[in-house]
Amino acid sequence: MAKQRLQDVASSIGVPVSEIRKFLKEWGIDKNNFATLEEEELQMIYDHFGSAKNSQKTQAKEQPPQKKPQKPQPQPQKPAVNSKQEQKPQNQQPPKPKIPKPAPPTVNIPPPTQVKEREPERSTKPKKDEQQILKKLQQQTTKKEKSQQEQSQEIKIVEIPPILTVRELSELISIPPNQVMTELLKRGILATINQNIDPQVALEIAQSFGFLAEIKQEKDEEEQIDKPSEGKEPRPPIVVVMGHVDHGKTTLLDTIRKTRFAQKEKGGITQHIGASTVELSGKGKITFLDTPGHEAFTTLRARGAQVTDIAILVVAADDGVMPQTIEAINHAKAFNVPIIVAVNKIDKPEADPQRVRRELSEKGLIPEEWGGDTIFVDVSAKTGQNIETLLEYILILAELLELKANPDSLARGTVIESKLDRQRGPTVSLIVQDGTLRVGDAVVAGSAFGRIRAMFDDKGKAIKSAGPSIPVEVLGFEELPNAGDQIRVFKDEREARAIAEQRKLKKELSQKVSKGLVLEEVFKRIQEGKSKELRLILKADTIGSIEALKKSFAELSNDQVSIRIIHSDVGSISENDVMLAKASEGIIIGFNVRPDLKAREAAEQEGVDVRLYSIIYEAIEDVKKALTGMLKPVQKEVFHGSAQVRATFKIKGVGTVAGCYITDGKILRNARARLVRDGVVIFEGKVESLKHFKEDVNELSKGFECGIKLKDFNDVKVGDSIECYEMKLEQAQL
């Protein structure tokens, strides 16, 4: 039977196409009008609907059963007669296909049986494929279960280091980095693959992946720093000079060192820790530390007592025991430092050394001549009386203490002071307590890492190494360490960097927590209207000065008015500081620093109050008066102009003349002037003479070259800046 189209078959048997398609759909066959039909499908249609063509092809087989049920159903034994009689009516009645309608009930049974026999053949094939797929899935699941069982049998223990990146964590737990970063995002942390993450967060992520994790406990480097190596050789004693303000500590050291350092101090008081080494002829070396005596420098005095072996307590014979004298005694006793009392200013007629002995004996310092164990020496720093006796007592006490160190070990020490030099970068003054510090060593001080690039002694001379008890100034730190931080040398630079990063991370985390809490309290109080706030921005020449100012200002705060330090840093006042003060409605306090040209212009335009001080108690007094509303009219500085030193000329009988170019404003003869070097004020005085070429002039404006001679000052260098100003009485704005 040839293939035919569905439409042709429908027209041949006289049945609508829709009925045939409906019939085929019942058997799961979907055909359109022009689709060709297979032989099996044609047979099903013909068996169901009947066909004249089909009866012509199968006359002998199919026609007898068609006529028997119509007319002579009870006589099925005469097939030949029926076939001859029916040949004529088939030709006479071709358009009557409805005659075989009673046939479907009898013929309808076999076609489904035939199709049903073939239909399962089609359905059995996908069942076999499904069985094969199921078998494969079962095999995979069994393999996974076995591997999971094997992994569960193995104990997965991971140690999380204190500092690690996302990549290191993924390698540690064998998990792809993207999955680790997804876990971080779930915890609200957006981190790159090379970013450090908190070890506690890393611990939680490792536990979420089924690991038994714990944070690795690093060796406490602080304990190692505090444990000095066994001493092999004697070392010079480190002596700290302590006492009340203006009792003659720096003058005493000047007499010992044969210098005139006290004349350079602002207001005649020491405001930094000064370290120096004095070599006595045939008697050895002594390292001296000069600490400030003002009440604001408590932390500096405590730091000086912490790093020294012997404390010299200077007490003025005409003044007696004062508050900072008692504080110095307490610091020395807290660190078990032996005390030698130097009763100074005995050359004055009103001096009373016995009064000093009586007052100190009440504080527990009983003189040897009274049966005690404290050495008292009456000296005069101005005339040099009994200075040699004082030095001998220091050396005797050092021998009794048996001070020793190991110069062959890795160096350790303490930061005395740190500052930011515009040309040399971070500059750190330190004292070596053990070992030998060399150029090229990898060092860590607090959270600051560095490699020593250069080293200078107390006289400014470049040196290659420094042994125990030697104060030095070093370059090479990447950032400024805090004063009082312990310094340690490491053989491995990677280990040093790792420890510095670890400390920095801890410091940042603690700062974030404390900052958030403080801000919450401040905003609460502001919203409630219970307190007012004075916002300050501090800029100073050293970190020690900033610490002293912070401590002093914190003590001035009360329940009604509080002082908030918005920003503090080392270096000159910049334009960013002015803009920060403008945004926060704050005031800039500069201590021994100056604003640059852009900062000065920005302060004038924005109306920001910039207060400059060179003596600490003046700054404290002004802020205190401002808080109590008692600030009186003060002298305000009126800036005239500045000039840059481009050359220096030494003239016999005159001194050093600075060849300058006026960069801003104007320079006036006989006006006040200050010399600024790298943002730090070096000298304040007057313009003694002003010349344009060979002519004396009273003033010169911007763009002119001139020669300037400062009164009683000759230490002028190329690159310095000379500022001209005058002081006027104005209403205070603080």
Side-chain angles (χ1 to χ4, degrees):
M1 189 180 293
K3 294 181 179 181
Q4 296 183 13
R5 291 185 179 182
L6 178 61
Q7 190 173 5
D8 297 339
V9 173
S11 61
S12 64
I13 63 176
V15 178
V17 177
S18 59
E19 291 187 11
I20 297 175
R21 291 182 65 182
K22 185 177 180 182
F23 168 72
L24 291 173
K25 281 184 179 179
E26 291 177 358
W27 294 96
I29 301 169
D30 190 10
K31 297 284 186 178
N32 59 20
N33 294 356
F34 300 98
T36 56
L37 301 173
E38 302 291 338
E39 292 182 1
E40 297 174 357
E41 297 167 350
L42 286 170
Q43 187 63 38
M44 291 167 58
I45 294 169
Y46 290 145
D47 290 340
H48 184 71
F49 295 101
S51 174
K53 292 181 180 180
N54 194 16
S55 62
Q56 288 178 0
K57 290 180 182 179
T58 58
Q59 287 177 0
K61 295 180 180 178
E62 294 180 358
Q63 281 180 3
Q66 286 177 358
K67 289 293 179 178
K68 282 177 184 177
Q70 294 172 0
K71 291 180 181 178
Q73 286 182 358
Q75 295 178 356
Q77 298 156 359
K78 297 179 182 179
V81 179
N82 285 335
S83 63
K84 290 178 183 178
Q85 290 175 356
E86 287 178 357
Q87 284 176 0
K88 292 179 181 179
Q90 277 180 2
N91 295 329
Q92 291 174 1
Q93 299 175 355
K96 292 181 181 180
K98 295 182 180 179
I99 297 170
K101 278 187 180 178
T106 57
V107 187
N108 196 16
I109 298 168
T113 55
Q114 292 175 359
V115 178
K116 282 181 181 178
E117 288 176 0
R118 292 174 184 173
E119 196 74 22
E121 290 178 3
R122 295 180 183 175
S123 62
T124 52
K125 291 181 181 178
K127 284 183 179 178
K128 290 179 181 178
D129 295 338
E130 288 177 1
Q131 288 176 358
Q132 291 177 359
I133 293 169
L134 286 170
K135 284 181 181 179
K136 289 181 180 179
L137 289 171
Q138 287 176 357
Q139 290 175 359
Q140 290 178 359
T141 52
T142 52
K143 285 181 181 178
K144 286 182 179 179
E145 288 175 359
K146 288 180 181 179
S147 62
Q148 287 176 359
Q149 288 175 0
E150 291 175 359
Q151 289 177 0
S152 62
Q153 290 174 359
E154 297 177 1
I155 300 173
K156 299 184 292 184
I157 300 176
V158 174
E159 285 189 345
I160 306 294
I163 298 175
L164 80 165
T165 61
V166 175
R167 185 193 298 276
E168 291 171 350
L169 178 61
S170 67
E171 292 174 354
L172 191 64
I173 61 179
S174 301
I175 300 294
N178 56 350
Q179 294 187 22
V180 177
M181 294 167 76
T182 303
E183 292 295 324
L184 287 169
L185 283 173
K186 290 179 182 177
R187 290 164 174 80
I189 301 171
L190 182 63
T192 60
I193 195 169
N194 294 319
Q195 189 171 339
N196 289 336
I197 57 176
D198 186 33
Q200 191 62 38
V201 177
L203 178 70
E204 295 175 2
I205 292 173
Q207 290 175 349
S208 66
F209 286 108
F211 285 85
L212 183 62
E214 61 179 1
I215 298 175
K216 186 178 180 181
Q217 297 295 331
E218 294 285 340
K219 293 180 181 179
D220 192 1
E221 67 271 7
E222 302 294 338
E223 294 181 1
Q224 296 178 6
I225 291 174
D226 292 337
K227 294 179 181 178
S229 59
E230 294 182 1
K232 292 183 179 179
E233 298 179 5
R235 63 172 178 84
I238 303 173
V239 180
V240 61
V241 181
M242 307 174 77
H244 192 72
V245 62
D246 201 26
H247 274 204
K249 300 181 299 299
T250 306
T251 308
L252 178 64
L253 282 177
D254 284 341
T255 306
I256 295 172
R257 295 178 301 203
K258 298 179 181 178
T259 60
R260 298 176 64 187
F261 191 77
Q263 295 180 5
K264 303 178 185 178
E265 293 285 356
K266 298 290 183 181
I269 65 170
T270 304
Q271 302 181 117
H272 309 290
I273 290 181
S276 58
T277 302
V278 176
E279 188 167 0
L280 306 176
S281 56
K283 296 180 181 179
K285 294 181 179 179
I286 301 175
T287 299
F288 286 98
L289 295 182
D290 183 14
T291 62
H294 191 268
E295 60 181 357
F297 294 98
T298 303
T299 53
L300 299 189
R301 283 192 294 275
R303 194 182 309 143
Q306 186 178 0
V307 300
T308 53
D309 307 310
I310 302 170
I312 294 180
L313 182 63
V314 179
V315 185
D318 60 339
D319 204 7
V321 176
M322 301 299 287
Q324 271 63 60
T325 309
I326 299 170
E327 186 189 80
I329 296 171
N330 295 333
H331 285 314
K333 287 182 176 180
F335 295 102
N336 297 320
V337 178
I339 299 173
I340 297 177
V341 179
V343 183
N344 194 20
K345 301 185 180 181
I346 60 170
D347 56 314
K348 286 192 172 183
E350 62 271 18
D352 188 0
Q354 295 302 318
R355 171 195 167 193
V356 174
R357 285 170 169 78
R358 287 193 303 270
E359 291 177 349
L360 288 178
S361 63
E362 295 174 0
K363 305 299 178 184
L365 298 181
I366 301 173
E368 286 184 336
E369 56 264 31
W370 291 5
D373 56 358
T374 305
I375 301 172
F376 278 71
V377 182
D378 296 338
V379 298
S380 173
K382 192 172 183 180
T383 61
Q385 183 180 351
N386 295 335
I387 296 296
E388 292 294 331
T389 306
L390 177 63
L391 296 176
E392 288 176 2
Y393 275 119
I394 293 173
L395 293 174
I396 291 169
L397 187 56
E399 289 179 5
L400 294 174
L401 294 174
E402 295 182 352
L403 304 173
K404 292 184 179 181
N406 184 5
D408 299 328
S409 64
L410 294 175
R412 67 179 191 92
T414 304
V415 176
I416 299 173
E417 196 64 271
S418 61
K419 61 182 179 180
L420 186 63
D421 193 294
R422 185 173 293 181
Q423 295 178 347
R424 300 190 297 175
T427 306
V428 179
S429 300
L430 59 95
I431 187 162
V432 182
Q433 294 174 285
D434 194 15
T436 301
L437 184 66
R438 297 177 177 85
V439 174
D441 285 346
V443 295
V444 174
S447 61
F449 167 81
R451 182 174 284 278
I452 306 299
R453 292 189 289 107
M455 197 184 318
F456 306 92
D457 61 9
D458 58 310
K459 299 174 182 63
K461 182 182 177 183
I463 55 176
K464 296 293 183 183
S465 62
S469 303
I470 302 299
V472 290
E473 189 177 59
V474 298
L475 307 178
F477 276 89
E478 294 180 354
E479 58 183 275
L480 284 177
N482 291 324
D485 285 345
Q486 297 290 311
I487 289 182
R488 183 184 174 192
V489 175
F490 291 85
K491 290 182 180 179
D492 187 8
E493 183 176 346
R494 292 185 63 185
E495 182 185 1
R497 284 186 180 275
I499 290 175
E501 287 293 331
Q502 178 185 350
R503 293 179 179 177
K504 192 181 295 183
L505 186 63
K506 290 180 181 177
K507 184 179 178 181
E508 289 175 356
L509 290 173
S510 62
Q511 285 178 349
K512 285 179 182 177
V513 172
S514 62
K515 186 177 180 181
L517 292 173
V518 170
L519 284 176
E520 287 176 3
E521 293 175 1
V522 168
F523 276 105
K524 256 186 208 174
R525 294 187 177 183
I526 291 174
Q527 289 171 357
E528 294 171 358
K530 292 183 178 179
S531 67
K532 295 181 181 179
E533 191 174 66
L534 177 61
R535 300 179 179 91
L536 298 179
I537 295 172
L538 300 182
K539 296 301 289 284
D541 53 346
T542 64
I543 286 183
S545 300
I546 289 177
E547 290 177 357
L549 287 167
K550 280 184 176 180
K551 183 178 180 299
S552 300
F553 291 153
E555 292 174 353
L556 296 178
S557 299
N558 50 45
D559 295 335
Q560 286 76 29
V561 183
S562 61
I563 295 177
R564 180 182 170 194
I565 308 298
I566 296 173
H567 175 65
S568 60
D569 199 3
V570 174
S572 59
I573 300 169
S574 64
E575 187 178 5
N576 291 334
D577 299 325
V578 176
M579 300 313 294
L580 177 60
K582 172 67 176 177
S584 59
E585 297 181 353
I587 296 166
I588 299 176
I589 302 290
F591 183 72
N592 275 342
V593 294
R594 303 290 305 167
D596 55 27
L597 182 60
K598 289 184 177 179
R600 190 182 294 111
E601 292 175 353
E604 291 176 359
Q605 292 175 0
E606 303 294 340
V608 174
D609 191 9
V610 180
R611 291 300 183 102
L612 305 175
Y613 300 94
S614 57
I615 300 175
I616 190 167
Y617 60 75
E618 291 181 356
I620 297 168
E621 286 297 320
D622 278 0
V623 174
K624 186 176 180 181
K625 290 175 181 177
L627 292 178
T628 55
M630 296 170 59
L631 194 62
K632 297 177 181 178
V634 294
Q635 285 186 333
K636 178 145 187 180
E637 176 184 308
V638 178
F639 178 79
H640 288 311
S642 64
Q644 185 180 11
V645 179
R646 295 189 173 181
T648 58
F649 307 95
K650 292 184 179 179
I651 301 173
K652 189 177 288 187
V654 176
T656 303
V657 176
C660 303
Y661 176 79
I662 302 174
T663 57
D664 185 31
K666 59 184 179 179
I667 303 296
L668 303 174
R669 188 178 182 183
N670 295 327
R672 289 175 177 264
R674 66 169 62 89
L675 183 78
V676 181
R677 184 175 300 159
D678 298 329
V680 179
V681 179
I682 304 298
F683 169 77
E684 288 189 3
K686 286 188 175 182
V687 177
E688 186 176 9
S689 65
L690 178 65
K691 288 194 175 186
H692 181 57
F693 294 106
K694 294 184 178 180
E695 296 179 0
D696 289 326
V697 291
N698 289 326
E699 67 176 60
L700 283 173
S701 301
K702 179 181 177 181
F704 282 92
E705 293 182 344
C706 61
I708 300 174
K709 173 66 176 72
L710 298 176
K711 189 175 182 181
D712 299 331
F713 186 78
N714 294 315
D715 187 19
V716 183
K717 295 182 180 179
V718 176
D720 291 348
S721 177
I722 297 176
E723 297 179 355
C724 184
Y725 66 97
E726 66 175 324
M727 304 300 293
K728 287 185 178 180
L729 280 174
E730 290 187 4
Q731 188 65 35
Q733 299 176 0
L734 189 62

